[in-house]
Amino acid sequence: MASTKDWFETVAEAQRRARKRLPKSVYYALVAGAEQGITLADNVAAFDELGFRPHIAGLPPQRDQKTTVMGQEIDLPVLISPTGVQAVDPEGEVAVARAAHSSNIQNPLNPEQTVSTAMGLSSFASRSVEDVCAVHDKVFFQVYWAGSKEDILERALRAKRAGAKGLIVTLDWTFATRRDWGSPPIPEKVDVKAALQFAPEMITKPRYLLDWAKSGKIPDLKAPNMAPPGGGDAPTFFGAYGVWWTTPLPTWDDVAWLREKWGGPFMVKGIMHPDDARRAVDAGATAVSVSNHGGNNLDGTPAAIRALPAIVDAVGDQIEVVMDGGIRRGADVVKALALGARAVLIGRAYLWGMAAQGERGVTNVLSILYKGIDEALLGLGKKSIHELSRDDLIIPENFTRVSKL
C-alpha cells in the first residue's frame, strides 16, 4: 500500500518525516558522521554495488526469517542497535523496547503475525535498564570502557540483575567533534538558558513541542545507566562521555577479564579488521559486530559491509558475526546475510521511525525490513535466510577493500 498519514512505506520516508518533525539540532544529531562523512556515505552506498542472482520458478510459498543471536531466538534477523540519549520521543528507549518485543508486522501471507527481536540498550540511554527490561525480555546491555574496571563491572551486573541477557562492549570510536558541515549544537542539560537558545528552532516544530507537553516531561539529557554504583545522581549525556574520554584505553586482557566476570553471552562491537576479530575470539567473546560506529569512528574507514566477508572468513566458524551500518532496506539485510552475517543491527533507521511516529514508527520500520527480506528471499528462491550464500550475489571485483591477512 502507499504511504499514508499514519504509515510510511520506506525508511527514506521515515527520515523525511523525522526531519520535518524534529528541531534542526536534534535531527542533525541523528544524521551526523565523523569529519567529511566519507565512511557515513560509504556505509549506505556500498550496498548498491552488490547485485542479486534471482530465480523465477519453483519458488518457495513460505519463507522463514527466524534465527538466534547470543542465545536469544528472534523472528527476523534485525536487531535494535544501542544508541545514546533518545530525545526524539518522550518514551525513548521504552517505546523502542515495546516495538521490538511485539511488532504487528503487516505480512500479506499472515496479516496478524507478531514478531519479536532483541534490543541493544546503550549505557548512555535516556531510560534505565530496569525500565527497558520491564517491557522486553530480550535486552543486550551495551557498555563503553568508561570509568574504573570495578564501575564497568558493576554497571554490567546491574543490567544482569535487571534481566539483560547479553553484554555488548563497544570499543570503536576515535572521537571527533569535527564535521565539515558543522556539529549540531546540543545543550548539556535543558534549563532556562538552553530553552532561550533553542527557542527559534522549537517554535518552528510545534508537533515536537506538543508531544513533550502531553507527556508532562522535558527532554532529559541524563544517562541513568551511568549513575554511580551505590546511588547518586546520574551524569548528563556529556558528563558520561567525559568519563569515557578520560578513561585509560582497554587492553585485550581487560576485555577477557570483563568477559569472564560477566559469564554470559558477550559481544565485541566495532570490529573492522580480521586481526581484531581473532583477538575477540581469544578473549572469549561469543559474538562480534562488524561496525564503524555508523560512520562516527575514523573517517575514511570502509563501509562495514565491505569488511564483513574477510571477518566471516577469519572467525565465522568460531563465533557469531553480526554487522551494522547503512541498513535501509530488507534487501540490504539479505545481502549482509548472504555474505555471512547471522543478523544485522539498525540504528538511524529505527530512530527516524520513532521520530516520525513514536513506538508505531519503530514497528513500521521493522515491518518495512521484514517485508523486504521476505520479498528478496522469494526472488532468490530461498525458503530460509539460512540458505543464503555468496552465490546469491553479484559481487564486483575489489568490493571488500579490506585485507584478508
Side-chain angles (χ1 to χ4, degrees):
M1 68 178 184
S3 296
T4 66
K5 178 182 177 181
D6 297 322
W7 191 260
F8 44 85
E9 286 294 287
T10 66
V11 172
E13 175 64 11
Q15 181 180 1
R16 188 192 71 79
R17 296 187 187 193
R19 183 168 191 167
K20 183 177 180 180
R21 174 176 173 264
L22 295 177
K24 180 179 179 181
S25 295
V26 178
Y27 174 75
Y28 275 102
L30 299 185
V31 299
E35 297 196 328
Q36 191 177 346
I38 296 171
T39 299
L40 176 68
D42 196 40
N43 271 349
V44 177
F47 282 98
D48 295 341
E49 297 179 24
L50 296 168
F52 285 127
R53 298 162 60 108
H55 294 281
I56 60 170
L59 306 180
Q62 301 287 337
R63 282 77 59 190
D64 181 23
Q65 299 188 30
K66 295 181 185 296
T67 191
T68 303
V69 176
M70 292 214 292
Q72 299 301 304
E73 294 184 358
I74 53 179
D75 295 320
L76 74 164
V78 178
L79 297 90
I80 298 296
S81 187
T83 62
V85 173
Q86 296 179 4
V88 300
D89 183 85
E91 290 297 301
E93 293 84 0
V94 171
V96 177
R98 286 196 297 257
H101 179 262
S102 180
S103 288
N104 186 21
I105 298 301
Q106 293 191 347
N107 184 338
L109 298 175
N110 188 356
E112 300 304 320
Q113 182 175 16
T114 297
V115 305
S116 177
T117 191
M119 173 182 178
L121 177 69
S122 174
S123 54
F124 291 176
S126 62
R127 299 295 297 267
S128 73
V129 65
E130 291 83 6
D131 286 349
V132 172
C133 286
V135 300
H136 194 11
D137 59 352
K138 296 179 181 179
V139 173
F140 303 143
F141 186 68
Q142 176 268 349
V143 296
Y144 293 106
W145 202 265
S148 69
K149 290 173 70 172
E150 292 73 20
D151 285 353
I152 295 168
L153 177 59
E154 176 53 34
R155 211 170 289 139
L157 294 180
R158 171 188 167 186
K160 181 177 283 189
R161 291 191 296 269
K165 300 300 193 300
L167 190 68
I168 301 173
V169 181
T170 300
L171 298 182
D172 64 322
W173 202 349
T174 302
F175 182 77
T177 59
R178 301 169 300 283
R179 307 285 189 270
D180 281 14
W181 58 84
S183 297
I186 301 174
E188 182 167 356
K189 60 182 179 179
V190 178
D191 54 16
V192 174
K193 180 180 178 181
L196 291 174
Q197 179 184 355
F198 289 89
E201 289 187 29
M202 299 294 180
I203 291 173
T204 64
K205 304 295 181 179
R207 182 183 161 201
Y208 180 78
L209 283 175
L210 180 61
D211 288 345
W212 281 98
K214 288 179 178 178
S215 74
K217 308 173 185 177
I218 61 172
D220 188 353
L221 302 183
K222 288 187 176 182
N225 297 311
M226 290 290 290
D233 290 337
T236 65
F237 180 67
F238 288 103
Y241 269 81
V243 174
W244 180 26
W245 301 334
T246 56
T247 298
L249 299 173
T251 65
W252 282 109
D253 286 341
D254 291 328
V255 176
W257 168 84
L258 183 59
R259 164 68 180 94
E260 180 181 0
K261 294 294 185 181
W262 168 257
F266 186 95
M267 179 187 293
V268 176
K269 189 173 185 294
I271 300 291
M272 286 294 293
H273 197 294
D275 284 351
D276 285 341
R278 296 185 186 101
R279 296 300 297 270
V281 171
D282 293 341
T286 53
V288 293
S289 178
V290 181
S291 170
N292 51 45
H293 217 112
N296 276 292
N297 191 13
L298 181 64
D299 199 25
T301 300
I305 191 69
R306 298 190 193 280
L308 176 62
I311 292 169
V312 169
D313 290 345
V315 301
D317 60 344
Q318 306 171 67
I319 197 170
E320 295 177 2
V321 179
V322 300
M323 66 82 61
D324 70 84
I327 299 293
R328 302 292 184 267
R329 300 171 181 83
D332 297 338
V333 179
V334 170
K335 290 173 182 178
L337 301 186
L339 290 178
R342 179 176 289 255
V344 304
L345 298 96
I346 58 170
R348 289 182 177 90
Y350 80 81
L351 291 173
W352 290 330
M354 182 164 60
Q357 293 285 354
E359 177 185 341
R360 183 170 53 183
V362 180
T363 295
N364 197 154
V365 166
L366 291 173
S367 177
I368 289 168
L369 297 178
Y370 186 89
K371 290 190 289 184
I373 295 167
D374 184 70
E375 291 160 1
L377 288 176
L378 176 63
L380 293 171
K382 305 296 181 182
K383 65 178 182 291
S384 167
I385 58 172
H386 302 290
E387 295 181 348
L388 292 166
S389 73
R390 295 179 193 179
D391 289 340
D392 295 309
L393 301 179
I394 301 169
I395 307 172
E397 187 177 358
N398 297 325
F399 171 78
T400 61
R401 303 180 193 172
V402 177
S403 171
K404 295 185 179 181
L405 297 179

